[in-house]
Amino acid sequence: MTLPGAPGRGRRARAIVGPIQHLDPIRLSPGQQSYLRRRRRADAVLAGIGLAVTALPMLAISAGVMATMGRPVLFTQERVTQDGRIFRLRKFRSMRAVAPDGSDDDAARLVPFGRLLRETSLDELPSLWNVLRGDMSLVGPRPLTTDYIGRFSAEQFARHTVPAGLTGYSQVHGRNSLAWDDRLTMDQEYVRRLGLDLDLRILIDTVTAVLRRDGVTDEGGVSMSDFPGPQSTTDLELHGPEDDGTWVCRDREERIVLEGTAALLEPGLVELTIRLGPGADGAADTLLDEALLLLASRLRVVHEAEWACLAPGEEPGPELAASLARSGYAAPGAAVRHPTADLPPTTVPGGTPALIAFLGLPEEGFARPLQLVRDSEERTS
């Protein structure tokens, strides 16, 4: 996906090339759509009452943040809500800007007072302002950062059919301790089952989850791990890369859609060969794109890849070349830039890569989601 209005480097701006985000909103019933409209009015009233009731506690927390971490008191960050809309989430800070040892490690930056705020969810109180504004609802899928746009499968992105929430279905079933695929599956389940009974159950369970203080962190850190992308989809399963570098992506009828090899050339850089399989014959463009998305997701997990390139001399056919372009691959030296200040590797053993793509997290200001289009006939990639 190229963003023609994005900033460039040097005298002439260049289009940013990045992975495409397919959109697959879940169809809400007329009853669910009506419920969302009624819920919005209740959200505004309850958020207003909540801000009034917690004004003094928030003033005390602000003083605690200033005493332990200094200014600013609030942490703000771009997040994604309903229909792919971006808003600025507000929370109390829980970390220093820099750790005492000068590192940016989360565990070292987190202060005891900040840990208490996280464990009790008191850091979320300023987000009631987002609920009042209409950025969020009290209940819904937790809003994720714009960094991850382009990493969701189409079915995972369907979580954005409804507004993001202050608490949600996955929050009361493990919070940040859940694996990403499980968490996003729960978000899809919530959207399908959207209704008053489920929302009330989540609100009640939220109280219990906060009191238990379970699932605030992942297994090995102070917050949830980075989302690498889907490891499978409803239509596809990727196997590998194996010890010899081979990998294969099959559909649910066991037909090969894509196959090839992946070799780690240096930390962060993976060289690929990619071939179409019999399962790609007559397949929709989205199937190839999702197969490449699964490959990128697996490379992030297995090789911690920041860049992936096609081996020198690789000549993908027109169909595969078009899918690679949509997935963020471009020729080295092309009049585009990747969503990072780092320059792509220009040479590898054997010569110049045929194509190269950035697989890391984009820098702030680069990732911008598309708006969801609810009419399937108008839905574009």
Side-chain angles (χ1 to χ4, degrees):
M1 176 174 67
T2 58
L3 307 180
R9 198 165 39 210
R11 293 184 179 179
R12 298 182 63 184
R14 293 183 289 175
I16 297 172
V17 59
I20 200 164
Q21 180 63 72
H22 290 291
L23 313 175
D24 190 19
I26 295 172
R27 297 281 178 178
L28 300 179
S29 69
Q32 288 175 316
Q33 294 174 12
S34 176
Y35 169 67
L36 280 182
R37 291 191 291 269
R38 297 194 307 272
R39 190 182 74 173
R40 170 66 199 128
R41 293 191 288 270
D43 281 337
V45 172
L46 293 173
I49 294 173
L51 286 170
V53 170
T54 61
L56 287 178
M58 283 198 287
L59 186 62
I61 293 171
S62 298
V65 172
M66 289 186 63
T68 57
M69 289 166 274
R71 294 179 182 271
V73 171
L74 295 182
F75 168 79
T76 63
Q77 188 178 53
E78 287 190 340
R79 300 287 180 101
V80 185
T81 187
Q82 186 179 25
D83 296 343
R85 183 167 61 88
I86 294 174
F87 72 99
R88 294 199 70 85
L89 179 74
R90 292 167 173 81
K91 301 171 64 172
F92 282 120
R93 283 181 63 199
S94 58
M95 296 181 181
R96 299 184 180 94
V98 180
D101 61 2
S103 73
D104 59 358
D105 179 69
D106 284 354
R109 293 166 54 211
L110 186 66
V111 301
F113 184 67
R115 184 180 295 277
L116 175 65
L117 292 181
R118 286 187 172 207
E119 291 178 349
T120 58
S121 294
L122 291 173
D123 63 326
E124 306 278 0
L125 288 178
S127 299
L128 288 170
W129 174 247
N130 292 114
V131 177
L132 184 64
R133 281 171 44 89
D135 299 327
M136 300 169 59
S137 176
L138 290 176
V139 181
R142 284 293 294 165
L144 300 177
T145 65
T146 58
D147 294 341
Y148 297 143
I149 297 300
R151 291 193 176 188
F152 298 104
S153 67
E155 55 199 10
Q156 288 174 335
F157 199 77
R159 71 194 300 276
H160 299 110
T161 304
V162 300
L166 195 60
T167 185
Y169 192 50
S170 64
Q171 288 294 100
V172 299
H173 289 87
R175 298 177 76 173
N176 292 336
S177 63
L178 289 171
W180 271 105
D181 278 8
D182 293 337
R183 180 178 182 175
L184 296 178
T185 297
M186 286 185 181
D187 289 341
Q188 297 167 60
E189 180 67 16
Y190 169 77
V191 175
R192 293 189 184 94
R193 295 174 52 193
L194 176 70
L196 178 60
D197 290 346
L198 181 57
D199 281 353
L200 289 176
R201 183 74 262 170
I202 290 171
L203 287 172
I204 293 171
D205 289 346
T206 296
V207 176
T208 303
V210 170
L211 292 176
R212 287 200 313 259
R213 303 186 185 183
D214 291 338
V216 177
T217 67
D218 66 12
E219 192 169 305
V222 298
S223 59
M224 62 183 177
S225 59
D226 286 337
F227 174 50
Q231 299 304 300
S232 65
T233 70
T234 300
D235 299 319
L236 297 169
E237 186 75 40
L238 190 138
H239 302 276
E242 307 296 342
D243 291 341
D244 61 357
T246 59
W247 58 268
V248 60
C249 185
R250 293 187 174 91
D251 63 18
R252 295 304 174 183
E253 296 180 4
E254 290 297 313
R255 294 176 301 184
I256 296 175
V257 176
L258 291 178
E259 60 182 343
T261 61
L264 183 65
L265 299 182
E266 59 184 62
L269 175 61
V270 176
E271 183 181 80
L272 302 171
T273 63
I274 305 177
R275 298 180 297 277
L276 293 176
D281 291 342
D285 291 344
T286 52
L287 191 69
L288 288 181
D289 296 348
E290 294 272 284
L292 289 172
L293 172 62
L294 286 184
L295 176 60
S297 302
R298 191 63 54 82
L299 294 177
R300 294 185 191 106
V301 172
V302 175
H303 293 305
E304 299 183 355
E306 287 283 308
W307 297 93
C309 67
L310 259 63
E314 283 285 300
E315 295 184 5
E319 189 176 12
L320 180 55
S323 184
L324 287 164
R326 290 191 297 269
S327 300
Y329 286 80
V336 297
R337 66 171 301 192
H338 299 278
T340 174
D342 295 333
L343 295 175
T346 55
T347 59
V348 295
T352 302
L355 297 170
I356 193 162
F358 179 67
L359 304 185
L361 290 176
E363 294 181 354
E364 185 176 356
F366 286 101
R368 289 292 181 270
L370 304 175
Q371 292 290 320
L372 279 174
V373 179
R374 297 195 179 281
D375 185 342
S376 60
E377 295 182 358
E378 298 176 1
R379 201 177 302 161
T380 61
S381 300

